[in-house]
Amino acid sequence: MMQVPTPASKIDGTRFREVLGSYPTGVAIVSCMDENGMPVGMVIGSFTSVSLEPPLIAYLPMKSSRTFARMRGASTFCVNILAADQEAVCQHIASPVEDKFAGLAWHLSPEGNPVLDGVVGWIDCNYASVTEVGDHYIVLGGVLGMQLERDTAPLLFFQRGYGRFSPGPLIAAAERDTIEAVRLAELGRDSMTALASEFNAECSIIAAVGGDVVYVALENRSPHWRLRSRLGFRVPCAPPLGPLFVGHPGAPADTQWLQRLGRADEEMTARSVAQLERVRSRGWSIALQGPQDAENLDEMVELYTNAHRTPAQERRLLAAAKERSNLHEPADLLEDVAYDVLHLSVPVRDASGQVVLVLRLSALPRAVHMTQIRLWLQRLQHAATGLEQAVAARRETQLS
């Protein structure tokens, strides 16, 4: 066992993880077939290249890992480099289920190790050495073979959150989509201003861009809600947020939307599914006001909107959204109950039926009954129909 020098003062474990967690690492799954011929794998964030001559890689499993103990019986192993869209695969392998490969698509490498379908690439190795260091092993692998499978971005781990690297061209593409959404929203400027003035409220137009929901136009005529302008603000399209966009361009599909819940319990997942179905059945979306929504939510949304936000900031916003999820898309809206409406939204569709924008009323008077809510909805839907006609006319002009 390698001797590790003891620091003069004890390092706090929480601070150690916090500081080292600010350095992003790639995410991989090491796999092999155990002595019983069963596939086994473990998630690692410590994979690195070591040497070109001879070709060596390394990773650092914990000494207490029971999975690694099973893997030591094999003569070879395979490093699966995960793609950015394989977070769900990563979480499944990291979960405590007994058969971690059940339900996953995989095939065998030339050395007979499991290779997960859809990975960026894989590397077959033998055990060059295994050295004890502190509470981990350093495993050196001698490279036997390797293959790139997909030309795509890898999955990254940073501040206890998963993410992806976005090179300049991808950011530019998202900016182009946002600019196009702003141009479409301008077609509804007059209707938006009229609605805000009629109801002394805030009327906004939002779009789905790169998996987020972005405020692309806004008019605030509320005497009660003089908030900082939300123009340009974005929130993640994740339960319970953005249900009108789910399954349409710029937004995640149903399963991807639900996956953004993270490790949610069955009750939370079932609630999100029911909310999505309710929105689609109604054709509109409603969220009610919580007791501490105004400042807390705006502050977190502003942090999320920052291009240099951290995963920790994103987690805080997602956690806040989860906590108030019961205020979104309530199943029963009773005639004799007064409601505080946070926002009311209707879709704007193109000629093919895709949701391209959402028209929203917010900063509304409090304690209103269903009669008033239905009036807001009627006016919103009328304005959305006019905007749909303007969008269709613009597209026809562009094609002619």
Side-chain angles (χ1 to χ4, degrees):
M1 177 176 176
M2 185 182 294
Q3 294 296 314
V4 180
T6 303
S9 59
K10 184 173 176 59
I11 300 296
D12 176 70
T14 301
R15 176 58 58 84
F16 183 86
R17 285 188 292 270
E18 179 184 1
V19 173
L20 272 296
S22 294
Y23 180 73
T25 58
V27 185
I29 290 173
V30 177
S31 64
C32 71
M33 304 298 286
D34 69 10
E35 293 175 327
N36 298 316
M38 297 298 294
V40 59
M42 62 187 298
V43 177
I44 58 169
S46 57
F47 170 73
T48 184
S49 61
V50 175
S51 169
L52 182 60
E53 294 293 342
L56 295 171
I57 58 89
Y59 72 97
L60 284 73
M62 292 191 68
K63 289 165 61 176
S64 59
S65 170
R66 289 180 295 177
T67 301
F68 181 66
R70 285 180 62 191
M71 298 179 71
R72 287 294 286 119
S75 59
T76 63
F77 61 87
C78 185
V79 178
N80 293 255
I81 302 170
L82 294 185
D85 58 4
Q86 291 186 299
E87 181 180 343
V89 174
C90 174
Q91 291 178 339
H92 179 76
I93 295 290
S95 70
V97 296
E98 186 66 27
D99 186 356
K100 296 180 184 294
F101 284 78
L104 298 179
W106 57 279
H107 57 278
L108 290 176
S109 72
E111 294 295 326
N113 297 304
V115 175
L116 291 158
D117 289 2
V119 296
V120 174
W122 54 265
I123 307 169
D124 263 339
C125 303
N126 60 20
Y127 286 95
S129 68
V130 179
T131 307
E132 294 184 37
V133 180
D135 54 6
H136 281 67
Y137 293 112
I138 296 179
V139 178
L140 278 182
V143 177
L144 303 172
M146 55 175 57
Q147 180 68 47
L148 284 174
E149 296 283 338
R150 289 174 66 193
D151 183 13
T152 189
L155 184 65
L156 300 179
F157 189 74
F158 174 59
Q159 288 189 350
R160 297 185 295 115
Y162 294 101
R164 63 179 296 162
F165 168 70
S166 296
L170 293 181
I171 295 172
E175 289 175 349
R176 287 194 298 272
D177 291 342
T178 302
I179 291 170
E180 174 61 16
V182 170
R183 288 171 176 162
L184 289 180
E186 281 302 309
L187 300 175
R189 172 65 64 180
D190 290 345
S191 295
M192 188 176 63
T193 301
L195 285 171
S197 300
E198 179 181 352
F199 297 119
N200 294 320
E202 178 183 274
C203 188
S204 55
I205 297 177
I206 59 180
V209 179
D212 285 344
V213 174
V214 186
Y215 284 78
V216 293
L218 185 143
E219 185 69 34
N220 188 356
R221 297 295 177 89
S222 171
H224 309 294
W225 297 78
R226 290 299 176 189
L227 304 174
R228 290 165 290 182
S229 174
R230 294 189 183 92
L231 189 62
F233 274 20
R234 60 177 61 221
V235 296
C237 193
L241 309 175
L244 285 168
F245 287 112
V246 175
H248 295 277
D254 295 20
T255 53
Q256 294 170 325
W257 188 69
L258 292 170
Q259 285 170 0
R260 296 189 77 174
L261 282 168
R263 293 187 179 181
D265 56 34
E266 291 183 5
E267 180 182 354
M268 183 69 190
T269 301
R271 178 189 299 167
S272 299
V273 170
Q275 287 171 333
L276 186 58
E277 292 174 349
R278 203 171 294 133
V279 167
R280 288 173 173 169
S281 175
R282 289 172 173 169
W284 49 271
S285 172
I286 186 171
L288 303 180
Q289 180 81 23
Q292 298 178 343
D293 275 355
E295 275 307 310
N296 291 346
L297 279 180
D298 267 12
E299 181 181 350
M300 282 183 283
V301 168
E302 191 168 12
L303 286 172
Y304 183 88
T305 301
N306 189 319
H308 302 292
R309 68 178 181 269
T310 67
Q313 291 165 343
E314 182 171 347
R315 281 198 303 273
R316 284 200 293 272
L317 179 57
L318 289 171
K322 284 184 189 179
E323 287 175 4
R324 63 182 311 284
S325 64
N326 63 318
L327 295 171
H328 287 252
E329 325 306 342
D332 300 311
L333 291 166
L334 306 176
E335 296 292 334
D336 57 347
V337 174
Y339 296 101
D340 295 336
V341 178
L342 180 66
H343 52 71
L344 194 64
S345 308
V346 300
V348 176
R349 300 178 185 272
D350 64 12
S352 66
Q354 297 290 336
V355 176
V356 291
L357 298 170
V358 162
L359 192 59
R360 169 172 291 178
L361 274 178
S362 53
L364 293 156
R366 295 190 175 188
V368 298
H369 289 78
M370 281 304 300
T371 302
Q372 180 63 60
I373 293 173
R374 276 193 288 268
L375 174 61
W376 289 337
L377 266 175
Q378 182 181 6
R379 291 289 291 111
L380 269 175
Q381 289 167 335
H382 179 75
T385 298
L387 183 50
E388 287 175 346
Q389 293 169 350
V391 169
R394 180 177 184 270
R395 294 278 165 86
E396 286 179 6
T397 300
Q398 288 175 330
L399 293 173
S400 63

